[in-house]
Amino acid sequence: MLNALEIGTTVIVGLMVGVEFSVAFVINRILNALPDDSNQLGRAHGGRMLGAVMPFWYIGSLVLVAVWAVAGRDHDGVGLVVTAGALLIVSVVMSVLLLVPINNRGKTWTPENRPADWKEQMNRWDRFHYVRVAVIVGAFALLATALA
């Protein structure tokens, strides 16, 4: 049972990393190459869509890692799992304090009501997101290592 939990948790966290990596290095670059109205509308839609799903994915991943750490407390690699959990906590705190406020504003914007500094706000979100991606990649790497 512990083995299934370890593999399932690693897969779920890995998929989350893949989605967030894709947002950072593929989707946002595509959106940035579009005209301003299309870029902003795409980001607003993405913010609404992913903003509805990602909180459950982040918290669910953290819960799974915590269960793994408790269930596997007597096994090798538990320190890696606990450290991965700490990184996921950092990613949740970053999200709540830095990314979600920007996302909540951005997902309501249209070409008619967006603020003059909307691009600067999106660039700030992108910079925070790059750091968050690095943090969750680290968590995923630790989980994958703990499996070995």
Side-chain angles (χ1 to χ4, degrees), residues 58 62 82-95 135-136 139:
Y58 273 82
L62 180 56
V82 169
T83 305
L87 289 175
L88 290 177
I89 290 170
V90 168
S91 74
V92 169
V93 170
M94 282 184 65
S95 297
V135 169
I136 63 174

Side-chain angles (χ1 to χ4, degrees), residues 20-85:
E20 295 291 34
F21 186 91
S22 176
V23 167
F25 297 104
V26 178
I27 294 170
N28 283 349
R29 289 184 183 199
I30 291 169
L31 292 173
N32 288 341
L34 296 173
D36 283 353
D37 289 355
S38 298
N39 175 353
Q40 183 267 304
L41 288 169
R43 282 180 174 266
H45 180 66
R48 287 188 300 273
M49 188 178 78
L50 290 172
V53 174
M54 296 316 283
F56 298 103
W57 209 340
Y58 273 82
I59 299 300
S61 295
L62 180 56
V63 167
L64 287 170
V65 169
V67 170
W68 177 358
V70 170
R73 66 186 167 275
D74 298 327
H75 293 83
D76 292 339
V78 71
L80 297 171
V81 177
V82 169
T83 305

Side-chain angles (χ1 to χ4, degrees), residues 114-132:
R114 67 183 178 223
D117 70 339
W118 74 273
K119 282 186 182 180
E120 289 80 13
Q121 291 189 53
M122 292 297 97
N123 288 335
R124 187 176 318 118
W125 187 94
D126 289 344
R127 288 190 304 274
F128 291 144
H129 184 65
Y130 293 141
V131 174
R132 180 174 62 179

